[in-house]
């Protein structure tokens, strides 16, 4: 069996505009693809009275029938303003932390713990800079036709600030988000890297192909890259694993973000109280994992598309995306 030569996996131009733009493109395309699913997920997570009791597909149809087709993308404008810098920062930060990891730990840099740490730090970096936009997007997406609290992004910014007269209004649920981001981003990046290396190492048919990257070891190693199908498959597996582990934290985060709009919720509840509230009132399946089926439907195309377009964009800009595999 062939083995990946990690010594020849050099780091290419981290934290430059090419990596930044590649990440932004990947995130924007992926989020736009699943925007309608995201809106339904938010409405179901927090038990919107207009959609409570309806199934997933019934909710899609109800939004379309009552609010119109564009309502499926409600809040996506704020989402795009947030997601481009968020994804760009996340991918670029990951490449940067991965580079520093290799310099500091050298041969031990490829272990699972180090890989998880790099992904987690990248996620924390990105969410810290863009979290207020996620709160605004969630508030806009939660609105129902005829009962709008906010007229648009600017109006949402002003009214959310007025809730506490401080920047804290934009960071409700931030801690639970970071708590969810640590395992989610860590698992996502680490899983993709390890699944990708495994597939390239075994150069499976239809999932890999020979690349054109040159190296001084080209006589003893062959350069393989993932095909589009391979990128999508590795991304899908990554998304399913990460979402299953961290989904309950996402539910709690949404309840905290939307506490000012849900009449039954106490706006002063912290993480533990909110977690307990959701669990005691709705249970595990109907509470902490409410909407998980929809999230699987969402996670597969979103994570797959994100990693796929990130690698395609990197390749377009001339950055390395494959691995040198030693000839057996």
């Amino acid at each position: 069996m062939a083995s990946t030569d990690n010594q020849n996996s050099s780091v290419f131009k981290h934290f430059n505009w090419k990596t930044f733009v590649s990440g932004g493109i990947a995130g924007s395309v992926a989020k736009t693809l699943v925007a309608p699913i995201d809106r339904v997920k938010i409405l179901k997570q927090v038990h919107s009275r207009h959609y409570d009791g309806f199934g997933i597909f019934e909710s899609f149809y109800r939004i379309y029938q009552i609010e119109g087709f564009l309502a499926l993308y409600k809040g996506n404008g704020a989402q795009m303003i947030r997601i481009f810098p968020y994804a760009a920062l996340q991918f670029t930060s990951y490449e940067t932390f991965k580079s520093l990891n290799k310099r500091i730990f050298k041969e031990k840099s490829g272990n699972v713990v180090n890989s998880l740490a790099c992904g987690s730090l990248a996620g924390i970096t990105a969410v810290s800079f863009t979290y207020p936009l996620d709160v605004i997007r969630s508030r806009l997406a939660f609105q129902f036709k005829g009962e709008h609290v906010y007229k648009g992004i600017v109006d949402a910014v002003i009214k959310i600030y007025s809730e506490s007269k401080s920047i804290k209004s934009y960071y409700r649920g931030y801690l639970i988000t970071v708590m969810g981001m640590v395992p989610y981003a860590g698992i996502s990046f680490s899983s993709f890297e390890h699944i990708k290396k495994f597939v390239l190492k075994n150069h499976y048919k239809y999932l890999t192909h020979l690349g054109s990257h040159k190296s001084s070891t080209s006589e003893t190693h062959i350069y393989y890259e993932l095909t589009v199908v391979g990128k999508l498959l590795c991304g899908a597996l990554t998304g399913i694993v990460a979402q299953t582990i961290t989904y309950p934290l996402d539910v709690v985060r949404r309840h905290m973000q939307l506490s000012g709009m849900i009449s039954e919720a106490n706006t002063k509840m912290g993480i533990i109280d909110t977690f307990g509230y959701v669990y005691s009132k709705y249970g595990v399946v109907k509470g902490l994992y409410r909407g998980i089926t929809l999230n699987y439907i969402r996670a597969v195309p979103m994570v797959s598309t994100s990693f796929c377009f990130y690698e395609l964009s990197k390749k377009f800009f001339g950055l390395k995306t494959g691995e040198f595999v030693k000839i057996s």
Side-chain angles (χ1 to χ4, degrees), residues 202-323:
N202 293 280
H203 42 87
Y204 292 112
K205 189 177 182 181
Y206 303 122
L207 300 181
T208 63
H209 65 85
L210 292 174
S212 58
H213 197 82
K214 299 298 181 182
S215 170
S216 58
T217 61
S218 58
E219 293 183 0
T220 58
H221 294 73
I222 300 177
Y223 183 72
Y224 282 99
E225 294 179 336
L226 291 175
T227 62
V228 173
V229 174
K231 292 179 175 66
L232 291 171
L233 179 61
C234 291
L237 293 173
T238 295
I240 292 171
V241 172
Q243 291 288 341
T244 300
I245 296 173
T246 63
Y247 189 75
L249 291 174
D250 188 42
V251 173
V252 173
R253 174 172 67 93
R254 290 299 181 195
H255 271 270
M256 294 187 72
Q257 285 182 337
L258 300 171
S259 61
M261 299 177 72
I262 306 173
S263 59
E264 61 180 340
N266 186 337
T267 57
K268 295 183 179 180
M269 287 197 298
I271 297 172
I272 303 300
D273 290 335
T274 304
F275 190 92
Y277 166 78
V278 175
Y279 173 74
S280 62
K281 187 173 181 65
Y282 304 108
V284 176
V285 177
K286 294 184 179 180
L288 297 175
Y289 276 94
R290 181 179 176 83
I292 187 66
T293 301
L294 181 62
N295 217 47
Y296 282 137
I297 296 173
R298 166 186 174 273
V300 172
M302 186 185 74
V303 180
S304 293
T305 303
S306 182
F307 277 111
C308 181
F309 271 82
Y310 177 60
E311 296 231 323
L312 288 174
S313 297
K314 282 177 66 179
K315 186 175 181 180
F316 175 80
F317 288 126
L319 304 178
K320 178 174 171 283
T321 62
E323 293 285 343

Side-chain angles (χ1 to χ4, degrees), residues 9 12 40-41 62 155 252 264 266 268:
S9 298
F12 283 73
V40 172
K41 186 191 76 167
R62 184 172 170 80
D155 188 47
V252 173
E264 61 180 340
N266 186 337
K268 295 183 179 180

Side-chain angles (χ1 to χ4, degrees), residues 147-161:
E147 299 180 5
H148 284 199
V149 177
Y150 311 110
K151 297 177 182 179
I153 296 174
V154 176
D155 188 47
V157 170
I158 296 172
K159 288 182 177 178
I160 292 173
Y161 178 81

Side-chain angles (χ1 to χ4, degrees), residues 124 127-128 131 135 168 170-183 249-250 252-253 256-257 269-272:
I124 292 172
V127 79
S128 295
Y131 188 77
V135 173
K168 290 181 180 180
Y170 302 115
Y171 279 89
R172 276 197 59 80
Y174 170 76
L175 185 56
I176 187 69
T177 300
V178 171
M179 288 173 64
M181 184 56 64
V182 169
L249 291 174
D250 188 42
V252 173
R253 174 172 67 93
M256 294 187 72
Q257 285 182 337
M269 287 197 298
I271 297 172
I272 303 300

Side-chain angles (χ1 to χ4, degrees), residues 118-134:
C118 290
S120 297
L121 288 171
I124 292 172
T125 300
V127 79
S128 295
F129 281 99
T130 62
Y131 188 77
L133 289 171
D134 189 37

